């Protein structure tokens, strides 16, 4: 289309488009060559006008242009993580984590089952809090960690391939909820909260009605090894958490300090607390062997209950929820939920608190009233905080230093603006706002209800992820984004921090074990397609290069256990193949230069066709073959 070529012409100079053009191949090359007709003055003028009309911090990302930020969104009880482009709010990719995924075969392939490990049989999850690894308080683009509240798990996504590469079930706890990373000096630890209190031990032998043995644990995970380094037993349950910018303290909210078992019991006390954990003291206690183990596992559990040297309990109004560290590193902010306030804890007072020079409440430097139902707070780089008000369906923008002045009796209005959002926001997040690189450009409000904002789609509605421009004095709502159940939290990472590979490298650990098996079978998967029989186990090694599978047929016996090992030899970006064995519930993705494998029972006699289910070539439909099953 000539017109399109003309309109896109000014973009040809930008590298990403050039690269993409190359990869479109012939058609695009002809297109560029043919676009010799100069643009008319009128066309330039109208484009210039359109550009000028767009705000300085424009939410518009034109076709062919790339977003400035990666967003990592949790998928809630869909169990996944999603990659969004910001500010376009285009969904770029889904990363299956705790769920099973029909397209990629996550949860079906041998590689994904190995990564899921002891929970390979669990096919559901509830992911809430995605957070990227950091170096010196800045995103380092290496990993994104995510919790599974439903099955007490923590997983890691490796950002060079954007796939889940580790998953662990946390012992001694139920429902891993709040999760963050150590920010400084680097993400040595991932921290997360066990939310639901359970008996210690939870072996069914104690009197289960006796709640005095119920505990909630704070969990500290070695980020590289993905093993629990230690746990800390606390009083009360735990909800959300965050780390400081000094590498010294972690803080968690507790909404049920009284260990109530019913809703009314849980909201009785006037005050709950924030628990602050002293990392150096915890590590010293661990080294000194001052821990116990429970439930027949050997994970060290430190005692951080009231009176312990490892922790301090700071009373705050009842049922706090979100816990957010300000991007200047000065404050922990606990969000009131049932109280219209947020509690600001000065991090530079925590040394004195731990050396008992001051009382817990002396660390509170302000408790501003922000509105009804404050859940989470985000920060810009100009001293402002943005708190979601679940009940008011608003974002309250307030100034932190002014709130502190008001707490000290000065007559200042710390509230800058309240913006209606649609509706009932849970988390919000600013661009790079949980790091030193907070840039004060964008805020996302993850609204739990969309109600009338979209075409009705039946009783179940999408959520509404709203994009808000915060670069000026006033917050401006610029985009409504329907999303499927249920993003709880997100992070917004500048694209310069993330460098994904375009092809798999053959030495990737995700399929290393599969290649080791091939080597044992004497098969070079890059050059050979071969059937290895081992009793009633059959391993079928097969190459794929568009539009051919290395085998057009292979023979097995009814009841054989068949493992398909498919290697994609294509070196061309984006040419992913798939493997699907019809009528066997087996399918998987095989991206360029990857090896994937899946095991199933050949339980149907006769001819069973397999085919490539990722559209890869003009002859994609013909990319298929037969499994001949002899009865
Ligand atoms: S929680 Cu869902 S809105 Cu799991 Cu971070 Cu607050
Ligand atoms: Cu290979 Cu479709």
């Amino acid at each position: 289309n000539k017109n399109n070529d003309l309109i896109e012409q000014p973009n040809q100079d930008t590298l990403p488009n050039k690269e993409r053009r190359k990869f479109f191949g012939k058609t695009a090359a002809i297109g560029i060559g043919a676009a010799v007709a100069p643009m008319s003055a009128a066309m330039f003028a109208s484009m210039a006008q359109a550009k000028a009309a767009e705000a300085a911090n424009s939410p518009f990302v034109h076709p062919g242009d790339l977003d400035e930020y990666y967003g990592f969104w949790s998928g809630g009880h869909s169990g996944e993580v999603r990659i969004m482009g910001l500010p376009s709010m285009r969904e770029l990719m889904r990363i299956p984590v705790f769920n099973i995924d029909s397209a990629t075969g996550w949860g079906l392939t041998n590689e994904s089952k190995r990564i899921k490990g002891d929970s390979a049989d669990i096919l559901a999850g509830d992911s809430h809090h995605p957070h990227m690894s950091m170096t010196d308080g800045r995103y380092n683009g290496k990993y994104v960690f995510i919790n599974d509240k439903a099955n007490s798990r923590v997983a890691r996504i490796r950002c060079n391939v954007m796939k889940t590469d580790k998953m662990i079930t946390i012992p001694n706890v139920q429902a891993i909820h709040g999760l963050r990373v150590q920010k400084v000096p680097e993400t040595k630890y991932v921290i997360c909260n066990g939310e639901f209190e359970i008996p210690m031990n939870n072996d069914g032998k104690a009197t289960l009605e006796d709640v005095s043995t119920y505990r909630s644990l704070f969990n500290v995970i070695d980020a590289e090894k993905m093993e629990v380094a230690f746990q800390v037993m606390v009083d009360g349950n735990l909800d959300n958490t965050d780390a400081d910018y000094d590498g010294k303290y972690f803080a968690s909210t507790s909404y049920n300090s009284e260990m109530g078992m019913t809703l009314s019991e849980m909201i009785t006390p006037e005050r709950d607390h924030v628990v602050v954990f002293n990392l150096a003291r915890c590590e010293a206690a661990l080294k000194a062997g001052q821990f116990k183990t429970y439930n027949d596992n050997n994970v060290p559990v430190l005692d951080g209950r009231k009176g312990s040297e490892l922790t301090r309990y700071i009373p705050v109004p009842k049922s706090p929820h979100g816990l957010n560290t300000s991007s200047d590193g000065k404050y922990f902010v606990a969000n009131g939920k049932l109280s219209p306030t947020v509690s600001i804890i000065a991090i530079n007072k925590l040394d004195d608190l731990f050396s008992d020079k001051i009382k817990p409440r002396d660390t509170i430097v302000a408790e501003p009233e922000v509105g009804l139902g404050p859940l989470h707070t985000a920060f810009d780089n100009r001293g402002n905080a943005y708190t979601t008000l679940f009940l008011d369906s608003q974002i309250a923008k307030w100034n932190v230093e002014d709130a502190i002045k008001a707490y000290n009796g000065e007559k200042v209005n710390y509230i800058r603006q309240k913006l209606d959002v649609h509706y009932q926001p849970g988390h919000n997040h600013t661009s790079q706002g949980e790091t030193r690189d907070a840039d004060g450009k964008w805020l996302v409000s993850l609204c739990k209800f969309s109600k009338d904002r979209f075409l009705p789609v039946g009783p179940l509605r999408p959520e509404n992820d709203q994009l808000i421009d915060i670069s000026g004095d006033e917050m401006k709502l610029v985009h409504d984004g329907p999303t499927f159940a249920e993003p709880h939290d997100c992070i917004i990472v500048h694209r310069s921090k993330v460098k994904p590979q375009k092809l798999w490298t053959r030495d990737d650990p995700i399929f290393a074990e599969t290649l080791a098996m091939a080597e044992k079978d004497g098969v070079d998967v890059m050059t050979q397609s071969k059937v290895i029989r081992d009793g009633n186990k059959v391993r079928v090694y097969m190459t794929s290069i568009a539009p051919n599978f290395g085998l057009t047929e292979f023979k097995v016996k009814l009841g054989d256990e068949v493992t398909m090992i498919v290697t994609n030899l294509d070196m061309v970006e984006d040419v992913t193949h798939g493997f699907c064995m019809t009528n066997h519930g087996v399918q998987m993705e095989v991206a360029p230069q990857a090896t994937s494998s899946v095991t199933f029972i050949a339980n149907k006699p006769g001819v069973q066709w397999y085919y490539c289910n990722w559209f890869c070539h003009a002859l994609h439909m013909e990319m298929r073959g037969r499994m001949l099953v002899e009865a």
Side-chain angles (χ1 to χ4, degrees):
N1 179 312
K2 214 173 173 189
N3 242 356
N4 273 346
D5 283 332
L6 285 174
I7 290 165
E8 286 180 21
Q9 185 75 2
N11 285 335
Q12 298 301 330
D13 294 337
T14 63
L15 189 61
N17 265 340
K18 245 195 204 158
E19 265 180 15
R20 244 188 19 194
R21 283 269 154 178
K22 250 190 276 161
F23 141 72
F24 286 160
K26 244 190 200 155
T27 337
I30 291 166
I32 293 168
V36 284
M39 286 178 69
S40 70
M43 285 173 84
F44 270 121
S46 73
M47 277 180 62
Q49 263 171 17
K51 283 252 155 82
E54 287 175 10
N57 197 31
S58 173
F60 299 109
V61 180
H62 294 280
D65 285 351
L66 303 182
D67 281 291
E68 189 178 352
Y69 299 90
Y70 286 95
F72 291 88
W73 255 236
S74 68
H77 40 287
S78 75
E80 64 195 10
V81 166
R82 299 164 192 163
I83 307 177
M84 308 286 286
L86 261 80
S88 73
M89 299 293 277
R90 298 179 293 199
E91 185 183 289
L92 306 180
M93 184 45 64
R94 294 182 173 200
I95 308 171
V97 185
F98 303 114
N99 54 329
I100 57 162
D101 182 58
S102 173
T104 59
W106 184 258
L108 303 173
T109 64
N110 296 322
E111 292 70 36
S112 61
K113 284 179 175 171
R114 281 198 289 265
I115 288 164
K116 293 178 78 178
D118 64 358
S119 68
D121 59 323
I122 294 182
L123 306 181
D126 186 7
S127 60
H128 285 219
H129 300 110
H131 289 287
M132 182 177 273
S133 52
M134 297 187 199
T135 303
D136 191 31
R138 303 187 146 93
Y139 291 134
N140 64 17
K142 199 168 181 193
Y143 302 122
V144 167
F145 299 91
I146 182 91
N147 70 305
D148 173 15
K149 174 166 169 172
N151 302 290
S152 314
R153 291 180 289 182
V154 173
R156 183 176 82 183
I157 290 161
R158 183 146 53 79
C159 296
N160 62 341
V161 288
M162 296 297 180
K163 294 286 186 192
T164 307
D165 85 323
K166 294 275 180 197
M167 192 179 295
I168 54 171
T169 306
I170 313 292
N172 305 328
V173 295
Q174 237 167 63
I176 292 293
H177 189 224
L179 174 149
R180 295 261 184 173
V181 301
Q182 182 182 358
K183 300 177 202 272
V184 173
E186 64 194 355
T187 300
K188 179 183 176 192
Y189 295 124
V190 176
I191 51 170
C192 56
N193 290 329
E195 183 179 349
F196 301 155
E197 52 286 329
I198 49 171
M200 301 289 283
N201 297 303
N202 198 19
D203 54 8
K205 289 180 186 149
T207 312
L208 299 182
E209 289 79 9
D210 175 14
V211 301
S212 69
T213 70
Y214 286 28
R215 296 284 179 270
S216 194
L217 306 183
F218 180 71
N219 306 277
V220 180
I221 296 164
D222 183 308
E224 279 300 329
K225 292 189 198 145
M226 280 295 278
E227 289 169 9
V228 183
F230 58 91
Q231 298 175 309
V232 187
M233 184 184 286
V234 296
D235 282 318
N237 78 337
L238 294 171
D239 193 5
N240 279 293
T241 189
D242 206 347
D244 67 4
Y245 283 83
D246 309 302
K248 289 160 74 173
Y249 300 113
F250 306 128
S252 294
T253 46
S254 168
Y255 67 79
N256 177 23
S257 60
E258 292 294 291
M259 287 296 199
M261 292 298 124
T262 63
L263 188 146
S264 60
E265 285 170 13
M266 287 183 200
I267 62 171
T268 322
E270 264 318 303
R271 287 235 156 135
D272 284 307
H273 52 246
V274 168
V275 191
V276 181
F277 300 87
N278 184 316
L279 177 57
R281 288 189 186 178
C282 287
E283 284 183 321
L286 182 67
K287 222 169 159 195
Q290 292 159 358
F291 59 81
K292 286 187 183 165
T293 60
Y294 296 88
N295 295 303
D296 287 330
N297 61 65
N298 49 24
V299 173
V301 181
L302 309 174
D303 190 346
R305 287 176 293 168
K306 279 181 190 157
S308 154
E309 281 305 292
L310 310 180
T311 53
R312 288 294 183 269
Y313 289 73
I314 302 175
V316 293
K318 71 170 155 191
S319 294
H321 182 61
L323 194 294
N324 305 89
T325 311
S326 60
S327 54
D328 59 11
K330 289 183 179 169
Y331 309 109
F332 286 136
V333 172
N335 298 261
K337 190 170 74 186
L338 297 191
S339 159
T341 57
V342 295
S343 302
I344 306 178
I345 296 165
I347 292 172
N348 67 6
K349 293 188 186 244
L350 293 176
D351 286 355
D352 283 350
L353 177 62
F354 272 91
S355 55
D356 297 321
K357 289 185 188 141
I358 56 173
K359 296 244 145 43
R361 281 291 298 179
D362 296 340
T363 62
I364 303 272
V365 291
E367 218 147 52
E369 212 168 287
V370 291
L372 294 183
L375 289 188
H376 296 279
T377 295
F379 302 91
D380 65 18
N381 54 351
R382 305 183 297 276
N384 298 312
Y386 302 81
T387 302
T388 51
L389 303 175
F390 183 80
L391 297 174
D392 282 340
S393 284
Q394 286 183 319
I395 303 281
K397 176 182 175 182
W398 51 280
N399 184 275
V400 180
E401 293 308 323
D402 281 356
I404 294 170
K405 284 181 193 159
Y407 193 72
N408 291 328
E410 280 185 52
K411 280 237 168 308
V412 283
N413 181 9
Y414 46 82
I415 298 285
R416 291 291 184 268
Q417 186 195 351
K418 288 193 179 177
L419 179 77
D420 288 345
V421 291
H422 314 85
Y423 303 88
Q424 269 84 30
H427 272 273
N428 62 0
H429 209 93
T430 46
S431 38
Q432 310 218 97
E434 62 169 355
T435 74
R436 290 192 204 281
D437 294 324
D439 60 18
K441 285 170 77 172
W442 301 107
L443 173 75
V444 167
S445 172
L446 301 175
C447 301
K448 299 294 185 187
F449 296 79
S450 64
K451 296 183 186 172
D452 56 355
R453 301 292 282 192
F454 305 112
L455 283 176
V457 287
L460 179 65
R461 307 284 171 86
E463 325 245 308
N464 188 5
D465 298 350
Q466 294 187 302
L467 181 70
I468 296 159
D469 180 353
I470 55 166
S471 62
D473 285 342
E474 235 180 84
M475 296 184 276
K476 288 197 183 97
L477 174 62
V478 295
H479 184 88
D480 266 14
T483 40
F484 184 63
E486 169 189 322
H488 275 257
D489 195 4
C490 66
I491 57 171
I492 305 168
V493 182
H494 195 267
R495 68 185 187 190
S496 61
K497 307 274 184 187
V498 182
K499 297 263 179 295
Q501 292 169 200
K502 296 186 169 174
L503 304 173
W504 286 86
T505 56
R506 292 298 303 157
D507 59 357
D508 197 289
I510 286 179
F511 44 79
E513 209 170 302
T514 307
L515 296 188
M517 179 178 77
E519 203 181 317
K520 251 196 183 159
D521 280 337
V523 179
D524 174 6
V525 297
M526 295 301 282
T527 58
Q528 293 175 306
S529 292
K530 225 174 174 178
V531 181
I532 306 284
R533 178 168 280 282
D534 174 5
N536 66 346
K537 290 186 165 63
V538 182
R539 291 186 287 279
V540 181
Y541 293 92
M542 190 163 79
T543 57
S544 62
I545 184 160
N548 293 293
F549 280 127
L551 293 171
T552 53
E553 60 181 75
F554 62 87
K555 216 172 249 181
V556 299
K557 296 218 158 40
L558 188 64
D560 279 348
E561 183 197 280
V562 180
T563 300
M564 298 297 309
I565 303 101
V566 184
T567 301
N568 183 342
L569 304 184
D570 275 297
M571 295 288 289
V572 184
E573 275 174 47
D574 204 6
V575 179
T576 293
H577 298 292
F579 175 87
C580 171
M581 181 65 75
T582 47
N583 295 346
H584 286 74
V586 165
Q587 54 190 46
M588 62 183 177
E589 157 216 352
V590 197
Q593 293 291 300
T595 295
S596 306
S597 71
V598 64
T599 299
F600 60 95
I601 304 294
N603 54 10
K604 293 189 170 78
V607 172
Q608 308 292 335
W609 282 95
Y610 54 89
Y611 70 99
C612 172
N613 57 356
W614 285 73
F615 213 111
C616 56
H617 192 274
L619 293 172
H620 158 81
M621 304 304 295
E622 289 82 354
M623 190 168 172
R624 57 189 170 113
R626 287 169 300 159
M627 176 171 73
L628 309 172
V629 185
E630 295 176 331

